[in-house]
């Protein structure tokens, strides 16, 4: 066992370079520095600048990512027409770009070369469980933190869900965000499509399906995606929720953006709003959203007036899906109308309706994926843990959605990481962490296996390349994403290796 304040730095591996993993690394570095008297971190452990510091030299953090680039769902899980995400990316960039003080004493085997000079060392294009095992990480680090998130679609258990024409929202989001591991094309052949779900992902999917492609040209949507959207046959997008307007899981900004999509009518049914009073909403956020929805009821398209719009987005409340019907592919979707129950849930009314919809997008939530050799709760889609300590595995921790499930926003991710890192440091100070049996840098092992590792300098090279593509594009934009994995790796490694 080892305690935190020894001559050798605390070595921590974090698996997953999305917000959860980056926040965990930043909070850890700041907390260690603060305990050594070298940081101006606040009580959350996050420095005011957002950038990690480790002035004490008492911690070394390696951030492993299966993709060649960092940022996880911020890069590959958020619609490209969300400019506010840039602020989050800028903050995460600061954390990963924070320089390491060369005067600090380091452990044997960890040589910080010119291409390895950040407090948090980013190691991309590495699949834990394939390129390196969890056991091999545990042999090289005092602690391993799992921050792999939740990237699969939660199951919608109704008949017909596997028919051709029925899609998981997560797959569609990955496609329009240019994820390197999904097909380059998408079959947008249906005029009438349904999005099942009443959360922000459902709204993102519905908005991208309904939005006129010319209004996406200034975003970072990849060219293959833009071409697919320009050829889309979609005219009507129907969003279905089991509950009523007062139970939506959107955020006000997502809802407002939906109503501002040019050339798209927003259709709502007055009957769905019976008994809904914005003034009676339990919080201001819901009050704002209900007022927005109420205002839409008075839009020209809901008064029977023609607007000239070529596409329509229909919001249906009190609809529970019961069957996706069709012989060889989706031909219709059947719903049972619902109503509020006394216990606050909803119950079926026995009234069934069927819509001639031929494309279905299931947006009922995300679900975690198991990490090879780590405990996993297959029912909840999480790594079983107690306040971030993984059950039955000393030195193994979890943070983010793989810890708590796919709920909450960025603020929850920060508080989540704070709790996990506090417990990791408590274990370190109490001498409950096992000292690494292997002192050699993990990159030696990866080099032996010929893993094409990407680094932070490599990401800076890829980032600059994508920005240059955007500046030279026919539709000038901030960046054009490089989609193929092999191309990302080649650009990252060729540029970084010449530095």
């Amino acid at each position: 066992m080892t305690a935190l304040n020894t001559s050798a730095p605390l070595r921590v591996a974090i698996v997953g370079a999305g917000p959860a993993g980056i926040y965990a690394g930043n909070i850890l570095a700041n907390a260690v520095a603060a305990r050594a008297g070298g940081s101006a971190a606040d009580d959350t452990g996050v420095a005011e600048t957002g950038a990690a510091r480790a002035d004490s030299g008492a911690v070394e953090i390696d951030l492993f990512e299966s993709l060649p680039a960092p940022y996880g769902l911020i890069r590959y899980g958020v619609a490209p027409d969300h400019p506010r995400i840039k602020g989050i990316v800028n903050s995460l960039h600061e954390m990963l770009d924070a320089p390491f003080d060369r005067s600090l004493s380091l452990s044997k085997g960890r040589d910080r070369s010119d291409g390895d000079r950040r407090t948090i060392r980013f190691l991309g294009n590495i699949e834990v469980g394939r390129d390196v095992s969890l056991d091999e990480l545990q042999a090289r680090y005092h602690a391993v933190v799992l921050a792999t998130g939740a990237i699969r679609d939660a199951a919608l258990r109704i008949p017909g869900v596997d028919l051709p024409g029925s899609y998981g929202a997560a797959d569609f989001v990955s496609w329009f965000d240019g994820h390197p591991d999904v097909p380059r094309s998408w079959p947008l052949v249906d005029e009438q499509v349904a999005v099942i779900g009443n959360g922000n992902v459902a709204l993102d999917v519905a908005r991208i399906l309904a939005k006129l492609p010319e209004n996406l040209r200034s975003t970072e949507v990849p060219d293959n995606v833009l071409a697919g959207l320009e050829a889309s046959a979609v005219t009507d997008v129907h969003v279905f929720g089991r509950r009523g307007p007062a139970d939506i899981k959107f955020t006000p900004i997502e809802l407002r953006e939906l109503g501002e999509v040019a050339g798209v009518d927003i259709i709502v049914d007055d009957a769905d709003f019976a008994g809904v009073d914005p003034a009676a909403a339990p919080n201001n956020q819901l009050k704002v959203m209900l007022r927005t929805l109420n205002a839409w009821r008075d839009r020209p398209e809901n008064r029977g007036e023609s607007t000239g719009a070529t596409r329509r987005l229909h919001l249906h409340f009190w609809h529970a899906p019961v069957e996706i019907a069709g012989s060889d592919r989706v031909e219709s979707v059947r719903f049972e109308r619902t109503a509020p129950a006394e216990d606050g849930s909803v119950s079926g009314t026995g009234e069934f309706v069927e819509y001639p919809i031929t494309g279905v997008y299931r947006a009922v939530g995300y679900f975690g994926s198991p990490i090879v050799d780590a405990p996993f709760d297959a029912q909840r889609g999480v790594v079983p843990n107690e306040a971030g300590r993984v059950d039955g595995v000393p030195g193994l921790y979890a943070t983010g959605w793989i810890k708590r499930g796919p709920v909450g926003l960025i603020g929850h991710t920060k508080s989540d990481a704070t709790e996990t890192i506090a417990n990791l440091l408590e274990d370190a100070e109490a001498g409950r962490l096992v000292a690494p049996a292997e002192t050699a840098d993990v990159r030696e092992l990866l080099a032996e296996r010929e893993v094409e590792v990407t680094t932070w300098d490599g990401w800076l090279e890829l980032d600059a390349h994508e920005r240059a593509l955007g500046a030279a594009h026919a539709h000038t934009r901030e960046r054009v994403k490089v989609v193929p994995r092999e191309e990302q790796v080649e650009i990252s490694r060729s540029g970084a290796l010449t530095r």
Side-chain angles (χ1 to χ4, degrees):
M1 299 291 182
T2 184
L4 176 61
N5 295 316
T6 64
S7 58
L10 176 70
R11 302 178 69 181
V12 177
I14 300 174
V15 182
I22 297 173
Y23 285 136
N26 179 254
I27 290 168
L28 172 61
N30 281 316
V32 171
R35 293 176 188 217
S39 171
D42 61 21
D43 60 2
T44 67
V46 182
E48 293 178 0
T49 63
R53 299 176 61 199
D55 295 337
S56 67
V59 66
E60 294 177 352
I61 305 163
D62 283 347
L63 184 65
F64 293 83
E65 171 57 49
S66 62
L67 295 166
Y71 306 143
L73 283 180
I74 296 298
R75 179 171 166 91
Y76 291 119
V78 177
D81 57 347
H82 276 333
R84 73 181 185 279
I85 295 301
K86 294 175 186 176
I88 299 174
V89 170
N90 291 340
S91 177
L92 298 176
H93 175 98
E94 285 185 30
M95 296 177 193
L96 291 183
D97 201 47
F100 187 85
D101 187 341
R102 287 182 176 278
S103 66
L104 302 177
S105 60
L106 301 172
S107 62
K108 297 177 182 179
R110 178 72 178 269
D111 176 27
R112 288 185 180 267
S113 62
D114 286 343
D116 177 19
R117 55 184 183 272
R118 302 321 190 288
T119 297
I120 301 172
R121 183 170 68 162
F122 172 74
L123 300 173
N125 201 40
I126 301 167
E127 183 74 39
V128 172
R130 182 194 64 197
D131 300 317
V132 62
S133 71
L134 187 57
D135 285 345
E136 287 169 331
L137 291 183
Q138 290 176 297
R140 287 165 173 79
Y141 298 88
H142 294 89
V144 177
V145 181
L146 303 177
T148 51
I151 59 174
R152 291 188 295 163
D153 284 291
L156 177 62
R157 303 187 188 284
I158 61 174
V161 75
D162 294 323
L163 279 171
S166 172
Y167 311 104
D171 292 334
F172 183 61
V173 171
S174 293
W175 174 73
F176 69 58
D177 272 329
H179 194 290
D181 298 336
V182 301
R184 301 290 183 268
S185 61
W186 194 271
L188 294 167
V189 297
D190 304 290
E191 293 184 0
Q192 302 277 339
V193 299
V195 179
I196 298 176
N198 254 353
N200 285 336
V201 174
L203 284 197
D204 274 355
V205 169
R207 193 179 62 256
I208 294 298
L209 285 168
K211 201 166 192 175
L212 299 177
E214 54 264 32
N215 295 324
L216 288 168
R217 288 173 180 164
S218 63
T219 73
E220 61 182 50
V221 61
D223 283 344
N224 65 294
V225 174
L226 187 60
L229 293 172
E230 286 173 341
S232 171
V234 172
T235 60
D236 290 79
V237 179
H238 301 260
V239 181
F240 292 93
R242 293 176 62 251
R243 294 175 175 268
D247 295 302
I248 54 177
K249 302 300 181 184
F250 313 140
T251 55
I253 191 168
E254 295 277 354
L255 194 64
R256 187 178 71 242
E257 286 175 350
L258 192 69
E260 296 171 352
V261 178
V264 178
D265 283 346
I266 304 293
I267 310 297
V268 295
D269 185 350
D270 274 343
D272 285 345
F273 291 83
V276 176
D277 179 9
N283 57 67
N284 287 332
Q285 177 169 291
L286 184 56
K287 285 179 183 177
V288 169
M289 291 191 289
L290 290 177
R291 286 171 184 153
T292 298
L293 288 170
N294 263 335
W296 289 354
R297 295 167 65 186
D298 197 41
R299 287 170 65 127
E301 58 265 38
N302 289 309
R303 298 198 305 265
E305 301 175 17
S306 174
T307 66
T310 57
R311 291 182 176 177
R312 290 155 294 281
L313 201 156
H314 310 253
L315 297 181
H316 304 269
F317 299 98
W318 308 112
H319 281 70
V322 295
E323 182 185 10
I324 299 172
S327 52
D328 297 326
R329 72 179 320 276
V330 176
E331 297 173 4
S332 64
V333 186
R334 191 165 180 253
F335 296 86
E336 183 178 12
R337 298 306 306 268
T338 60
E342 291 185 1
D343 63 0
S345 64
V346 296
S347 58
T349 64
E351 176 190 353
F352 293 88
V353 290
E354 191 165 349
Y355 293 84
I357 286 167
T358 55
V360 177
Y361 292 79
R362 310 180 306 273
V364 295
Y366 284 104
F367 200 77
S369 298
I371 299 95
V372 177
D373 295 330
F376 187 70
D377 184 335
Q379 288 192 323
R380 298 175 54 223
V382 299
V383 171
N385 70 92
E386 183 66 37
R389 294 182 175 101
V390 174
D391 293 354
V393 189
L396 187 62
Y397 302 84
T399 190
W401 282 2
I402 200 64
K403 170 187 174 183
R404 69 179 189 272
V407 292
L409 303 173
I410 291 295
H412 297 91
T413 301
K414 289 181 180 179
S415 60
D416 219 21
T418 299
E419 177 186 60
T420 295
I421 294 306
N423 285 329
L424 187 158
L425 290 174
E426 178 183 299
D427 292 342
E429 292 176 335
R432 291 193 286 265
L433 299 182
V434 178
E438 298 283 347
T439 58
D441 192 331
V442 70
R443 290 196 63 174
E444 295 180 16
L445 176 66
L446 295 167
E448 289 174 7
R449 294 174 179 173
E450 299 182 342
V451 179
E452 294 184 301
V453 177
T454 59
T455 64
W456 181 248
D457 277 344
W459 160 246
L460 295 179
E461 194 72 25
L462 177 59
D463 181 53
H465 180 85
E466 291 183 341
R467 291 177 184 275
L469 290 177
H473 199 273
H475 310 294
T476 304
R477 52 180 68 173
E478 183 174 334
R479 75 171 64 242
V480 173
K481 280 183 183 175
V482 174
V483 177
R485 177 185 286 265
E486 61 274 12
E487 189 176 344
Q488 290 187 41
V489 171
E490 181 182 0
I491 294 167
S492 297
R493 287 175 61 82
S494 62
L497 291 174
T498 60
R499 296 188 178 194

